[in-house]
Amino acid sequence: MRYLRCCCLLFCSLLSLLKALGQPAVSDIIQHPLGRHLVSLNGNWNYIIDPYEMGYYDYRREPFENSPSGRGGFYDDRLPKDKTELVEYEFDHAPTLQVPGDWNSQAPELALYEGNTWYRRKFTLNRAGDKRYILYFGAVNYEAHVYLNGRKVGMHKGGFTPFQFDVTDRLKDGENTVVVKVDNSRRQDEIPTVNTDWWNYGGITRDVSLIEVAQRYVADYRIQLDRNDPATIAGYVQLGDSAAGVQVTVDIAEAGIREVLETDADGRAAFRWKPRKLELWQPESPKLYDVRILTAEDTVADRIGFRTIETRGHEILLNGKPIFLRGISMHDENPMLPGRLRSEGDMRMLLQWAKDLNCNYVRLAHYPHNEKMVRLADEMGLLVWAEIPVYWTISWENPHTYANAAQQLADLIRRDKNRASVIVWSVGNETPLSDARYTFMSRLVAEARAHDDSRLVAAALEVHREGKTVILNDSLGELIDLVSFNEYAGWYWGGTPDGIADYTFDIAFDKPVVISEFGGGALAGFHGDSHTRWSEEYQESLYINQLKMLRAIPTLRGMTPWVLVDFRSPRRQHPVYQDFWNRKGLYAPTGHKKKAFFILKSFYDEMEAAY
Ligand code: GCB
């Protein structure tokens, strides 16, 4: 009880802090935006590269927004009123970028660009009488200032989570203009911080929509099995306002459920039902039920799967049965562009590559991937580890940095809480031990549990070595559900792969071990013996010997080796073997399977038979 109260207090103080910071509150994100009536604002947006931010600041570096008129910035989208007037920018003849999409993959001069860019799109709207309009962004990396018809509607920080603004009072009948100032500069106090091992793709990377809803609409819902009583479907429907006594119907026809509820004084209707029979979701048969939520004014249709996930001792139980997580880590990148995944086809391709490896599990590293990706995982039968970009050495002592991390975690959980595929919330990756880091990370663990107590909470930890013993004793391990760590025996340490098999592990926790990373680089098509760095044979030997070493861990219950496919990273400089690519993929960017792919696949075939 005390723990619960603490979590609530933490959550409330966080909300007020975020409001003070001007970020949208957690409750602002609509559930299932793609299932709504919407005007897509995807497509071509005009853009202006503005490294000096002259569209935002005057020559004394004062924001135009602070001037008495608030005018003067590029968000005015101004044209000279006659031939005498000086205006030093113009969107109409500016080039265009595809949205959704990062800018780096769309113009050579933007490939390595980190800074400020302006986007503009016009659209025509025939306003329907009594509707509300929500301007919804799937993700913008990293800081977005959004203007509608010349006026600011708000800003958002965080490159991988959705945000929205209610623009009902700002829209015109007829032509409207949205301008977005996007800045992907890396900064020490942000999440992630300056140092990562992936490409800092900037821009409006995910869908933009204008969502039309009824005045009284279904803003959010959670429909999942009850953790403590798995024969029961429990949850709530939340309206966009706090109207009491509104009738809400939840219909899951195939499960024989059609219940009429009534909202309470917060506009929320909670429920618990015991369906007579329910087919549970699992990777081998990813059953999804059609779910409809209806009010007099609004209808939302979703597809939801039901399953349980828990740990007992060192077992992971999916629907009460032990499971081995046959996983692989992956980035949100289409290696063929290369750039962020844009279409559902791109996403399906990568998840199919994981299935071809006989995976039942993917680690969507190191930040929230697209909501469509998670929905595809639901459909294709892949379990998911979802993560926020608390990565390496961030500013542990800065309260704003913490608030930002907690907001990203809350938004991720709010967005994906109905996805059966998601079984793990990860609060970070390879964070170095210190008291400040422990405080930060343990608070995030408590936040994750306070938002959602029905999934596992984890983090990818670090190990250290004494002689041939690999030690994991990070006390964060006490608070989380899985023992997950990254270890690079045979690549960053331990000599050549054939010498690593006799390393042993000393793990301080009796919990399921799910190795979050191991691996090594190979340039596809480059061959040598098993001691030749970058050769496919070296990587193959590394997988053979890693698996020998890891099999000896009696509590091993899964893994997500690093990584599905080579990915772009500015840290990877070798001109012959890397050329800005991290080569630890089991697939080359072309889709070619490297030799190590077959080693892992046959291990997974064996694990599938054993479980
Ligand atoms: C890690 C990181 C991952 C890197 C990988 C590597 O431990 O978690 O983001 O890309 O190592 O390749 O070094």
Side-chain angles (χ1 to χ4, degrees), residues 494-566:
T496 51
D498 44 13
I500 64 172
D502 56 345
Y503 275 91
T504 55
F505 286 81
D506 178 3
I507 294 171
F509 314 100
D510 184 30
K511 295 182 180 183
V513 172
V514 180
I515 314 266
S516 34
E517 284 177 35
F518 69 83
L523 177 64
F526 175 62
H527 296 286
D529 62 18
S530 64
H531 285 188
T532 307
R533 285 269 171 179
W534 308 113
S535 69
E536 289 199 34
E537 288 71 18
Y538 188 107
Q539 191 191 40
E540 179 186 38
S541 165
L542 189 146
Y543 270 74
I544 293 170
N545 288 291
Q546 273 278 351
L547 292 172
K548 266 190 209 152
M549 177 180 78
L550 298 176
R551 274 172 192 275
I553 303 176
T555 51
L556 184 72
R557 291 298 177 272
M559 56 178 68
T560 46
W562 194 254
V563 60
L564 180 70
V565 53
D566 294 356

Side-chain angles (χ1 to χ4, degrees), residues 444-465:
L444 283 182
V445 171
E447 295 269 355
R449 294 200 194 283
H451 293 308
D452 178 11
D453 68 350
S454 73
R455 288 175 172 84
L456 310 180
V457 178
L461 306 178
E462 289 192 318
V463 288
H464 62 277
R465 276 164 291 129

Side-chain angles (χ1 to χ4, degrees), residues 34 136-140 159-162 198 201 205-207 328-334 339-342 346-348 350-351 362-377 383-389 408 411-413 415-416 419 421-422 424-426 562-565 567:
L34 298 170
Y136 186 93
F137 292 83
V140 176
F160 305 96
T161 39
W198 66 80
Y201 289 114
T205 52
R206 295 189 187 150
D207 292 337
I328 192 75
S329 297
M330 58 203 290
H331 270 290
D332 175 354
E333 185 181 78
N334 179 348
R340 290 271 176 243
L341 294 166
R342 295 188 204 166
D346 295 352
M347 295 173 205
R348 202 177 275 280
L350 286 197
L351 292 180
V362 287
R363 175 179 179 213
L364 301 183
H366 283 297
Y367 38 73
H369 287 215
N370 201 310
E371 178 177 351
K372 288 182 190 163
M373 189 78 170
V374 188
R375 285 179 172 273
L376 270 178
L383 296 157
V384 168
W385 158 303
E387 187 160 300
I388 53 166
Q408 294 191 35
D411 289 346
L412 166 66
I413 295 177
R415 190 193 74 176
D416 291 344
R419 302 284 72 82
S421 54
V422 178
V424 180
W425 304 123
S426 163
W562 194 254
V563 60
L564 180 70
V565 53
F567 61 94

Side-chain angles (χ1 to χ4, degrees), residues 197 366 391 429-430 486 488 492 517 562 572 582 584:
D197 187 20
H366 283 297
Y391 182 94
N429 178 75
E430 281 188 358
N486 303 349
Y488 279 89
Y492 292 129
E517 284 177 35
W562 194 254
R572 307 299 168 174
N582 183 316
K584 297 190 186 71

Side-chain angles (χ1 to χ4, degrees), residues 1-152:
M1 209 39 213
R2 244 184 52 201
Y3 168 77
L4 251 181
R5 206 171 305 136
C6 265
C7 290
C8 284
L9 279 176
L10 200 73
F11 185 59
C12 294
S13 52
L14 183 70
L15 266 183
S16 13
L17 179 57
L18 288 170
K19 279 187 181 140
L21 288 175
Q23 296 201 15
V26 179
S27 59
D28 284 344
I29 300 163
I30 196 168
Q31 187 64 203
H32 195 16
L34 298 170
R36 312 293 178 133
H37 187 261
L38 55 83
V39 177
S40 169
L41 299 183
N42 291 343
N44 287 327
W45 291 54
N46 294 94
Y47 74 98
I48 299 172
I49 309 172
D50 181 20
Y52 283 26
E53 295 180 277
M54 63 167 281
Y56 190 75
Y57 295 107
D58 68 14
Y59 81 119
R60 296 285 183 218
R61 199 78 185 163
E62 275 302 315
F64 291 112
E65 282 171 18
N66 295 352
S67 72
S69 70
R71 298 272 166 205
F74 286 5
Y75 47 84
D76 290 346
D77 186 21
R78 187 176 169 77
L79 291 172
K81 57 178 180 304
D82 59 39
K83 65 183 181 186
T84 68
E85 196 189 3
L86 174 66
V87 178
E88 286 192 272
Y89 71 96
E90 198 210 62
F91 279 107
D92 285 355
H93 290 92
T96 58
L97 286 169
Q98 263 288 317
V99 170
D102 58 275
W103 63 50
N104 314 66
S105 62
Q106 299 192 54
E109 69 276 20
L110 290 172
L112 273 162
Y113 182 62
E114 295 184 306
N116 187 70
T117 296
W118 294 85
Y119 282 70
R120 187 210 66 180
R121 187 166 187 318
K122 291 181 184 251
F123 63 95
T124 311
L125 182 76
N126 296 318
R127 284 190 71 139
D130 196 22
K131 299 287 184 191
R132 300 208 71 77
Y133 291 89
I134 293 167
L135 184 56
Y136 186 93
F137 292 83
V140 176
N141 191 32
Y142 175 81
E143 184 174 311
H145 294 245
V146 180
Y147 305 82
L148 180 64
N149 299 326
R151 287 180 58 205
K152 191 162 192 169

